[in-house]
Amino acid sequence: MNQEIRKRNARKRSDDDDDDDDEMDRNVGAAAMMMNDANASSDVPPPKKATATCTPSWIKYSTVVLHACAAIVIMLGFVLRIRLHSGVECEMTYSMRHFVHLPNAAPHSIYRLLKFTDARDIRQQHLLPKDHTRNLEWSTTSSQDWCTAPTNETTTIVVYVPGHWGSFSQARSLGAHGLQWTRARDRVGRIQDDISMLKSGERHGMSRDLRKFVYDVYAIDFCEQGGALHANFLYMQSAYVAQVVMTLVTKCGNPTIILVGHSMGGLVARSVPLLHPETRLHVHNLVTLATPHDGLPFGFDESIRTFYNLLEEKKQEHPLTIISISGGLRDEMMPPEVCHLENNKSISLLASDITADPDKAGLGMDHRAIVWCHHVLTKVRAILHVMAIEKDALERQRRFETILSATDYLHAVKTQRVSFLKQYGLWQSLAMESAMLYRGELLLGIYAITAGIYHTFPTIPVWFVPALVSIMAWHWSGVDNMSVVAILSLAANSVHLLLSIVLFRILARHSTQQKAASIYVAIFAILFVLIQLVVFAGGYVRHQSSLLHLSLSSTMFATTVLFLPMTLLMTAFQPSNTTFLALFLPVWPFLIVGKLFMIVWDAVSPFDSVFPDLLHFLCVVCLPVYLRTMFYSRTTTALDTKRPWRTLYLLSIVVFGPGMVQLGGGYVVTQFLASVAW
């Protein structure tokens, strides 16, 4: 009898607790209701309700088949791209190159300035080492006489700005076209005639005869820095290019200076006169190769969007003449649409439209081939000639229209896509376009939305999510081909389902191992301290930074690196947190990679430019996720059932919520993740 009374009392207390939890959930509002993991906070799970209807079998089987087909199409696209990027669409440019490091040109910087020289150029013989061979790519000179004509204003200088992880050696083909010695076997007689004209001064940088036109190439070495990871890299690179421009003006007698940038280097070159007004008298012309003027397809850090917005605000202060050349559909990194410039003084071109053999290069060339493609650089040489000799804007524009035969750029892109479809067929072209690397951000955004929907509505049908996400992504991505968006949506859904199953099995296996969790916490605490010490010691030994600077930098570095593992531990390995972890696990590395690289380089950049960015990121994203795992963890049931803690959680949303609007600067991925975190 006593046992029955105790059982009834226990059931009554459980029902009362459930009623209290339901009342608190209603008071929390929509923001807290989105988090389905809150159900885990109750000691007694709610009873399962029987469903009256179920999904028909043919829908289940069709969903599985569609997901499998999407995965196969993307994998097939990676294989077919090997044939697309064959490298035979262009002829190679050859040169007897040697780069000379000019240490006195721009001192006190981690970057370097190098000058391209050809072993046959008599003007540069004094810069070459005595033991010079073709295998020696670069050497250092102590000579102060490194400018070809320091007292002559007939010099045209081209400054090559490399892109993301780009090398200064990419300027060798551009330098070879400066002398027009570009073939593997140039005729000896022709070379001798050119050398004679160089001696007599008949060939120079202001000759109106294209055959006798010569330009000198200076290449910038950014130490293969990843400029697309964080905007602070772009600011540092822009400042160095501005310093190089002013040094060349001083050393070379006010020459004509033209900037040529590849990929992100074109964006850096474009920012030089806009961000550094002292260079505006000397920089008026710019040639970009595969540069994303209209937005970076893989700019995951919000600082990149801020950099773009700054250039957009300042573009009217100093209008530039820009010739933007896109690699076309063969460019796996930059789609042709992002290379378009809407400016009366600028011209956008497809590489295939200016090549001598459009049948071979009808679809353009890949991202790296555009810097050595002989046909493209031959036309670039003609562009540089017009920029150097034509000072009148109207005459320069007329000459450009004559030598480039410019057409409607966007119409040319559509025509190229039609040719792509005819050449490879529907399924092969669809597979290759879906597997392009520049689809990475779109795929990540689709995955974030997919995982967020599952996290918010755990009972939503699996077949419904890809259809809903496809419509949403097609609306905000701007991709014309709906089939590509649908394939990426199915692929993202497949990855999320597989990752959720794996995480559920792992978390279910370790959910009761509290001792193991304690050990892992101790291990990560030790790693946290070790990372702090390494960053602190490295910065102090190498750069003698202040103790406060190093302490803050090392702490932020360790916090950002260990955020996800520590969040996993705070959930105490609960299977109910599967959807939450499945959302953040694949996406988190892309959000922090730029900041991690920036922290590593922090000792050589102004700390004031790094600290606010990191503080904003930790407050807007890290703090809400920490609070979420704290208040919705099974190990903190006492906190979870207390109304004051829920009130504190909502108060933190009110305080830090406005920062979410700024997060991502318009990027769907980071904004959506921040909203899910809150």
Side-chain angles (χ1 to χ4, degrees):
M1 187 68 178
N2 293 333
Q3 291 181 353
E4 293 179 357
I5 293 174
R6 283 195 295 269
K7 289 181 179 179
R8 285 198 298 269
N9 291 336
R11 284 195 297 268
K12 184 177 180 180
R13 286 194 300 269
S14 177
D15 294 339
D16 293 340
D17 291 341
D18 289 342
D19 293 339
D20 292 340
D21 287 343
D22 292 339
E23 183 181 355
M24 281 188 292
D25 286 339
R26 287 192 295 270
N27 293 333
V28 169
M33 289 294 291
M34 289 180 61
M35 302 178 183
N36 63 300
D37 291 346
N39 294 331
S41 63
S42 178
D43 293 332
V44 181
K48 296 182 179 180
K49 297 181 180 180
T51 56
T53 60
C54 61
T55 305
S57 300
W58 67 271
I59 294 182
K60 295 181 179 179
Y61 292 130
S62 300
T63 303
V64 173
V65 171
L66 286 176
H67 282 75
C69 290
I72 292 173
V73 166
I74 291 182
M75 290 187 290
L76 179 64
F78 281 106
V79 176
L80 293 175
R81 276 182 47 209
I82 299 176
R83 185 175 59 176
L84 180 65
H85 308 303
S86 58
V88 299
E89 62 271 10
C90 268
E91 294 184 14
M92 178 68 76
T93 300
Y94 295 88
S95 66
M96 295 182 63
R97 79 258 184 195
H98 182 79
F99 287 91
V100 179
H101 176 214
L102 309 175
N104 298 322
H108 311 299
S109 175
I110 60 170
Y111 305 138
R112 300 188 304 168
L113 178 65
L114 300 98
K115 184 174 184 178
F116 170 86
T117 62
D118 191 292
R120 299 163 290 184
D121 189 354
I122 61 170
R123 304 173 303 161
Q124 319 288 353
Q125 294 295 325
H126 64 288
L127 298 177
L128 300 178
K130 296 180 180 179
D131 58 346
H132 168 65
T133 62
R134 291 187 64 181
N135 295 327
L136 186 62
E137 186 175 21
W138 69 273
S139 61
T140 303
T141 181
S142 58
S143 174
Q144 297 293 330
D145 188 21
W146 44 262
C147 192
T148 305
T151 59
N152 194 337
E153 295 187 6
T154 61
T155 303
T156 295
I157 291 179
V158 173
V159 179
Y160 176 77
V161 185
H164 179 85
W165 289 336
S167 172
F168 67 90
S169 62
Q170 294 173 332
R172 61 186 183 270
S173 299
L174 184 66
H177 280 268
L179 294 166
Q180 281 193 309
W181 300 339
T182 60
R183 296 298 185 180
R185 299 183 183 275
D186 284 312
R187 291 186 297 106
V188 177
R190 176 176 172 274
I191 298 294
Q192 294 297 329
D193 293 341
D194 289 344
I195 293 176
S196 300
M197 286 189 287
L198 286 173
K199 283 183 180 181
S200 63
E202 190 175 352
R203 294 193 72 190
H204 56 83
M206 297 302 293
S207 174
R208 300 195 68 86
D209 186 354
L210 180 60
R211 173 70 182 81
K212 299 178 181 179
F213 173 66
V214 178
Y215 60 82
D216 297 328
V217 173
Y218 292 81
I220 293 178
D221 181 16
F222 288 140
C223 306
E224 299 186 5
Q225 196 178 63
L229 295 175
H230 199 281
N232 279 354
F233 291 131
L234 303 180
Y235 291 120
M236 294 162 58
Q237 294 172 3
S238 178
Y240 181 77
V241 176
Q243 184 181 2
V244 166
V245 168
M246 300 310 296
T247 300
L248 293 174
V249 170
T250 303
K251 295 285 187 179
C252 300
N254 196 26
T256 300
I257 298 179
I258 305 173
L259 303 182
V260 175
H262 173 241
S263 189
M264 292 300 293
L267 206 64
V268 172
R270 179 181 160 195
S271 70
V272 170
L274 300 180
L275 302 183
H276 305 278
E278 68 274 12
T279 64
R280 293 179 181 176
L281 292 176
H282 314 288
V283 179
H284 304 280
N285 303 291
L286 174 63
V287 178
T288 63
L289 306 174
T291 294
H293 292 288
D294 197 33
L296 186 61
F298 46 87
F300 299 106
D301 196 276
E302 67 273 12
S303 61
I304 299 295
R305 177 55 57 185
T306 304
F307 185 81
Y308 271 96
N309 293 337
L310 181 61
L311 297 188
E312 188 67 21
E313 293 174 2
K314 290 182 172 291
K315 68 179 183 180
Q316 298 300 331
E317 296 181 8
H318 183 69
L320 289 167
T321 299
I322 305 176
I323 305 297
S324 175
I325 303 176
S326 166
L329 294 182
R330 274 199 175 98
D331 192 332
E332 73 280 11
M333 300 297 294
M334 301 294 172
E337 289 81 3
V338 302
C339 300
H340 183 224
L341 272 170
E342 295 183 0
N343 189 343
N344 294 332
K345 297 185 64 176
S346 302
I347 300 176
S348 301
L349 299 165
L350 288 173
S352 57
D353 292 339
I354 58 176
T355 55
D357 191 357
D359 294 333
K360 181 183 291 186
L363 300 177
M365 58 222 49
D366 63 62
H367 195 64
R368 289 169 292 182
I370 197 171
V371 300
W372 53 256
C373 181
H374 191 279
H375 296 313
V376 172
L377 293 183
T378 299
K379 194 65 68 171
V380 169
R381 172 183 166 80
I383 293 172
L384 296 175
H385 181 238
V386 174
M387 289 180 171
I389 66 173
E390 295 295 347
K391 304 303 180 183
D392 182 71
L394 294 178
E395 181 63 21
R396 184 168 58 243
Q397 195 73 13
R398 188 191 65 80
R399 290 283 301 274
F400 281 148
E401 294 175 356
T402 302
I403 64 176
L404 297 177
S405 301
T407 58
D408 184 12
Y409 179 79
L410 296 179
H411 177 73
V413 172
K414 292 181 180 179
T415 303
Q416 193 175 76
R417 291 194 180 278
V418 173
S419 301
F420 182 52
L421 180 63
K422 291 181 179 179
Q423 184 173 346
Y424 289 98
L426 175 62
W427 287 107
Q428 291 190 31
S429 60
L430 190 61
M432 286 187 284
E433 191 171 355
S434 301
M436 288 293 183
L437 296 180
Y438 55 74
R439 298 297 183 196
E441 187 188 26
L442 177 59
L443 179 61
L444 189 68
I446 290 175
Y447 179 88
I449 295 176
T450 300
I453 291 175
Y454 280 118
H455 181 69
T456 308
F457 309 102
T459 59
I460 193 170
V462 175
W463 59 268
F464 179 72
V465 175
L468 176 63
V469 174
S470 297
I471 296 174
M472 295 172 59
W474 180 68
H475 176 70
W476 57 255
S477 65
V479 178
D480 294 334
N481 197 335
M482 179 65 177
S483 301
V484 173
V485 179
I487 290 175
L488 295 178
S489 300
L490 290 170
N493 199 47
S494 302
V495 173
H496 177 266
L497 293 176
L498 291 175
L499 184 59
S500 298
I501 293 173
V502 172
L503 287 174
F504 182 84
R505 292 182 179 274
I506 294 175
L507 298 180
R509 180 176 300 179
H510 295 84
S511 60
T512 59
Q513 298 182 10
Q514 298 298 329
K515 183 178 180 181
S518 301
I519 295 175
Y520 291 148
V521 169
I523 292 174
F524 280 110
I526 295 174
L527 289 176
F528 188 89
V529 175
L530 289 177
I531 292 174
Q532 279 186 303
L533 291 176
V534 170
V535 176
F536 188 94
Y540 184 78
V541 172
R542 290 177 55 195
H543 305 282
Q544 301 293 320
S545 301
S546 66
L547 297 181
L548 177 61
H549 174 176
L550 292 172
S551 300
L552 292 174
S553 180
S554 60
T555 301
M556 287 188 175
F557 185 89
T559 303
T560 313
V561 168
L562 297 178
F563 165 76
L564 191 61
M566 292 177 67
T567 303
L568 178 63
L569 292 174
M570 292 178 68
T571 61
F573 300 103
Q574 295 180 57
S576 59
N577 287 282
T578 298
T579 56
F580 175 72
L581 294 177
L583 170 60
F584 272 87
L585 188 62
V587 178
W588 186 255
F590 293 94
L591 298 182
I592 67 173
V593 61
K595 303 181 188 305
L596 291 183
F597 272 85
M598 200 61 231
I599 296 173
V600 173
W601 284 80
D602 178 40
V604 293
S605 65
F607 181 68
D608 292 340
S609 64
V610 183
F611 181 77
D613 185 23
L614 290 173
L615 184 62
H616 174 260
F617 183 76
L618 291 175
C619 289
V620 173
V621 177
C622 296
L623 179 64
V625 176
Y626 274 127
L627 290 173
R628 181 205 174 281
T629 53
M630 178 183 295
F631 298 127
Y632 290 94
S633 174
R634 185 173 297 175
T635 59
T636 58
T637 304
L639 299 179
D640 215 18
T641 57
K642 300 292 185 179
R643 189 182 302 273
W645 292 103
R646 292 280 185 94
T647 304
L648 179 62
Y649 180 70
L650 290 178
L651 182 62
S652 66
I653 296 177
V654 174
V655 173
F656 294 100
M660 290 191 305
V661 179
Q662 302 176 10
L663 183 65
Y667 281 89
V668 177
V669 177
T670 49
Q671 287 183 353
F672 188 81
L673 285 178
S675 63
V676 172
W678 285 115

